[in-house]
Structures are given as C-alpha cells and as structure tokens.
C-alpha cells in the first residue's frame, strides 16, 4: 500500500509550486489547503485519505450524470479509436453533424445553425461578434453596443467581461474593457413588498423598453441568463420577463442572446430555460453541462436570418472566427452520449420527482431561523444565510468538507446544483449535513 497521507501532502506541495489555480487568491491556500482528488464516481469525489465529498455543485455546474459515467466513458472510448480530432474548416465529421442536428431538433424552433467554441466565454464572444457583424453586413454599422442585466455573468475574457456586471471579476480590468450598459435585473428578491415576482418582472421589462427606446440605434444585442442569474448568487426571476424582453427586442430591432451556458441542458426543469417563456432567442449559448461535464465544448445556435446575412461571395462578409478545437469529435461524442441519457432515462421527468423530494425533505433546513429567501428552479436550490462570520463562504466551504459536502457558497448564498444522478439517500445526506453546517455558522 502507498502511504496515502504522504502522497497527499506531496501533491499539495507540487500543485502549489507549479499550478496557478483559478478563481483563487493563491496565498489563501496556506490557510485552506487544496484537496488532491484521487477519483470520482457518481455524485462523489474521493481524496487519497479515504475521504469522500458529495459534489453538490456539480463541479462548477458542469456535471450532469455523475463522475465516471459508464455510458459517457464508453462513447468517448469508441470515438478515440476512430478520430480524436481534426480541423473543422474544410472538413467535417459525423459527431459534429449529428450533434448539430439533434440540438436543432431539441432547441426552440428556428435555431438551425450551430457554431462551436471551446468554453462558455468563447461562446459569449462569438455571439457578440456575430451580432455586431450581422448589423454591419445589413447596413447598420452603428449597432455595436450591448446591454446586459445588473449582476450579469457571461464569462471572463475581455469581451465577455464587458457584459459581466460582477465587480470582483471586472474591476482590475476596467481600463481594458468597453463597459456596456446594464438594465435592472428582474431578480425576484428585489420585488417591492406586496408586489408579485411577475409584476416586478413586468416593471423591469418596462425599464428595458425605456432603455431600448432611447438607445436602440446603437445597440446590437441584449444578452441575458434566462430564469437564473447564476454567478449573481442564483438570482431567480419570472419567465414573463423573457417573454416581454423578446417582444421588446423585436420591436426595437435588437438581438436577444440567451446565455444558457449554466441553465441549459435541463437545469431549470425544461431542456432549455427559454422554453418556459415560449420564446426563441436570436442566439442560444450552451456549454458547461453539454458534454455531461467531461470535455470543454460550447455551441452558439442561431437563426436562418442571421446565417443568411453572412452567406456571400465576399469572404469578408463571412464569419471568420475560429478556435483550434472547434467541434472536437471527442467532446461532440460526450455531448451525444449526454443527449442519449436524457432520452433513454426520461431525465426531465425523473428530475421533477427528485426536485419534489428534495423540496419535501428540506423543510427543516428551509425553516431554520438563519435561512433567508429559500428558492428553487428545476435542479437549482439557493438561500442566504444570516451568519455572524464575515468570511462565511470560506468557512462554509471548509465546514462542508468536514461533513463530506462540496458546497461553494457565493458570499452568503448557499446553493445546491447537484448532478442529476443524485439519489434519495444522497439528497437526505445533503440537506441534513447542510443543516449542521448552517447551524454552526449562523
Ligand atoms: C460559466 C458561465 C460562463 C462562462 O463559461 P466558461 O466555460 O467558464 O468560460 C458564461 N455564462 C454563464 C451564464 C456561465 O454560468
């Protein structure tokens, strides 16, 4: 047998010396050590010391059907023996064709063309560039601005940051980006007292209309996270906002970009969040869960109208954007296996039962005195904790690990975004242990 503890300490030391970890102040790892992972299975991650952690955040919202899923593993292995990768300019292959056809069939009607990137931020970049280029190609070159919601998050490359309204991620780079305007978020927590979330959504749509009324001649697109603003702290809102926003964008000739990178692939209870508002956006962005959390892949789906504006004998009118790994066959096969699981297991129906069960058993957690704003959309739950600690999120993360939970609060917002394979027993463990953590930090 290996000496696991020594193995562990050695990996931490090597990682801190060579790996610059994401979304981290590296010095904090002196106080809060890294955890080297040995393997993953289902909803669980395992370290080298025999500890396990319930992945209640789906490893940053990407994992849908568990770690080490046999069906996705098999699909990737099969593809590995055929074609691992080839450039997609001038060539094509079965996985990317089939994935594009199946997404077209699943997505809101009218989104017939798929353009691929490697991660969520690149999908945002692609949609912003495509939108502005569309207006240039159609004789409205002044439409080069974008609007997003307050507290929006659309990724962290420079273009995506320009439509991201999270100060922590943006402030250091203010001089490098063209900050775009934001409009009031329909976040249900901000409704006036006595006002329903739908009435508040309608009021916010009125503010969007007012903004577009004044500025539409310069605005290419409105980019929005449908139903749930993830990085804002799982801010949820009424679908009426999206329905009205669609009408308002049409009225003023502004594209609507639905960033479903986090909320797509069944997360909100429907395959795509836009379905709940019965709208088709001009651009639909997918990434994160699309490969089941296995491989980086993103897709920008768009309409015939937009596609046709680029179709020409003139090369410069084309969309000359590219990423080296565009349409990677292994990632596309992982995505196809993910779509197969949705179909074979009737996942959306199963998830409704799971969500109902978690809502039922979480009653004692929801009614704790320190828990505020309990909310749920599909397979996302969130609440704020009134805590006496000012570094609540770090403490909650640490204490969660001691209770076998991977929770990663955003500020005082704790959320569950579990893999869809989470079992009843695991949901019980999740809510019971979360009560212990919240109780200790209240
Ligand atoms: C995660 C996320 C992104 C960025 O995706 P990356 O793959 O991290 O670049 C963009 N938009 C939303 C809504 C996201 O949740």
């Amino acid at each position: 047998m290996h000496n696991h503890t020594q193995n562990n300490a050695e990996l931490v030391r090597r990682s801190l010396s060579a790996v610059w970890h994401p979304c981290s102040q590296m010095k904090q790892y002196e106080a809060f050590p890294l955890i080297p992972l040995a393997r993953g299975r289902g909803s669980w991650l395992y370290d080298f010391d025999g500890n396990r952690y319930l992945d209640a955040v789906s490893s940053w919202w990407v994992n849908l059907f568990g770690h080490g899923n046999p069906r996705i593993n098999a699909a990737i292995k099969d593809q590995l023996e055929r074609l691992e990768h080839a450039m997609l300019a001038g060539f094509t292959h079965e996985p990317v064709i089939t994935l594009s056809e199946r997404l077209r069939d699943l997505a809101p009607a009218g989104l017939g063309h798929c353009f691929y990137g490697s991660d969520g931020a690149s999908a945002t970049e692609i949609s912003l560039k495509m939108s502005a280029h569309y207006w240039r190609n159609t004789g409205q070159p002044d439409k080069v601005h974008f609007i997003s919601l307050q507290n929006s998050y659309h990724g962290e490359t420079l273009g995506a940051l320009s439509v991201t309204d999270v100060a922590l991620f943006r402030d250091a780079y203010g001089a490098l980006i063209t900050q775009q305007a934001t409009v009031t978020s329909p976040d249900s927590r901000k409704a006036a007292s006595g006002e329903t979330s739908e009435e508040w959504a309608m009021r916010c749509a009125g503010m969007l209309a007012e903004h577009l009324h004044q500025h539409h001649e310069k605005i290419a697109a409105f980019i929005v996270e449908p139903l749930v603003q993830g990085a804002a702290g799982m801010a949820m809102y009424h679908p009426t906002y999206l329905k009205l926003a669609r009408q308002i964008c049409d009225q003023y000739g502004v594209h609507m970009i639905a960033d479903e990178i986090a909320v797509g692939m069944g997360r909100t209870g429907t395959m795509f969040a836009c379905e709940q508002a019965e709208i088709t956006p001009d651009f639909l962005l997918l990434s994160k869960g699309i490969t089941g959390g296995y491989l980086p892949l993103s897709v920008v789906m768009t309409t015939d109208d937009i596609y046709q504006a680029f179709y020409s004998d003139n090369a410069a009118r084309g969309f000359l954007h590219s990423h080296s790994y565009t349409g990677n066959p292994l990632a596309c096969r992982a995505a196809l296996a993910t779509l197969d699981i949705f179909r074979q297991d009737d996942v959306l129906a199963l998830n409704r039962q799971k969500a109902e069960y978690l809502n039922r058993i979480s009653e004692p957690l929801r009614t704790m005195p320190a828990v505020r704003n309990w909310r749920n959309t599909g397979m996302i739950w969130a609440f704020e904790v009134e805590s006496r600690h000012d570094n609540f999120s770090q403490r909650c993360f640490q204490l969660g690990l001691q209770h076998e939970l991977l929770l990663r609060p955003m500020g005082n917002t704790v959320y569950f975004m579990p893999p869809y394979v989470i079992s009843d027993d695991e949901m019980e463990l999740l809510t019971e242990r979360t009560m212990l953590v919240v109780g200790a930090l209240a």
Side-chain angles (χ1 to χ4, degrees), residues 61 119-122 124 153-156 225 231 259 261-262 287-288:
W61 322 347
D119 50 43
S122 64
T124 297
Y153 181 93
H154 298 289
E156 294 173 53
E225 296 159 85
D259 176 352
I261 289 166
S287 187
K288 290 209 165 99

Side-chain angles (χ1 to χ4, degrees), residues 68-204:
N69 184 288
R71 284 182 274 181
I72 303 174
N73 288 5
I76 295 172
K77 283 180 192 158
D78 179 70
Q79 185 58 39
L80 201 49
E81 296 302 327
R82 297 166 194 266
L83 174 69
E84 81 297 334
H85 182 71
M87 59 193 281
L88 200 63
F91 294 93
T92 194
H93 49 77
E94 178 102 40
V96 78
I97 298 167
T98 310
L99 180 59
S100 307
E101 290 171 346
R102 287 184 62 183
L103 288 173
R104 177 180 63 199
D105 292 344
L106 282 168
L111 297 167
H113 305 275
C114 291
F115 193 98
Y116 290 85
S118 315
D119 50 43
S122 64
T124 297
E125 302 283 342
I126 289 163
S127 67
L128 300 179
K129 285 178 67 179
M130 255 187 200
S131 174
H133 197 162
Y134 169 95
W135 295 116
R136 177 185 162 93
N137 280 356
T138 56
Q140 291 179 267
D142 291 341
K143 286 169 86 73
V144 291
H145 292 282
F146 302 97
I147 48 173
S148 67
L149 294 182
Q150 275 166 1
N151 301 319
S152 56
Y153 181 93
H154 298 289
E156 294 173 53
T157 52
L158 292 174
L161 265 185
S162 75
V163 288
T164 286
D165 185 33
V166 180
L168 184 67
F169 299 141
R170 204 191 56 207
D171 283 357
Y173 315 104
L176 307 183
I177 58 186
T178 317
Q179 189 53 46
Q180 307 287 349
T182 58
V183 291
T184 303
S185 164
D187 179 350
S188 300
R189 288 171 299 179
K190 296 185 180 153
S193 73
E195 186 178 42
T196 66
S197 63
E198 183 168 24
E199 286 162 352
W200 168 235
M202 290 163 76
R203 217 149 49 90
C204 291

